[in-house]
Amino acid sequence: MFPLSYLPWAWFRVMDKRLVSLPQVRGDLNRVNIDPLCRDRLWARYGSGAPAVGGQYS
């Protein structure tokens, strides 16, 4: 994993998928703290549907 961290684009490609697959997240991006500048791009790639307003946890 350390060599992967030297390439930021590769790091995020691997770690974004791992984060979404965590049992605590289960694909629900409302459970993840996302940088507001990257939110739309990440929702388009990994989200299912539109982002929920208010971030209510189920």
Side-chain angles (χ1 to χ4, degrees):
M1 283 307 227
F2 289 116
L4 188 63
S5 66
Y6 287 109
L7 302 169
W9 60 268
W11 174 264
F12 285 110
R13 182 174 294 172
V14 170
M15 296 309 286
D16 287 348
K17 291 177 187 175
R18 292 183 73 174
L19 175 69
V20 171
S21 67
L22 283 173
Q24 298 90 342
V25 177
R26 294 186 306 255
D28 183 9
L29 291 181
N30 290 320
R31 296 176 179 253
V32 180
N33 187 13
I34 301 174
D35 180 13
L37 298 175
C38 300
R39 182 176 304 277
D40 293 334
R41 180 177 51 86
L42 292 173
W43 269 99
R45 183 177 293 170
Y46 300 109
S48 57
V53 176
Q56 296 295 322
Y57 294 158
S58 55

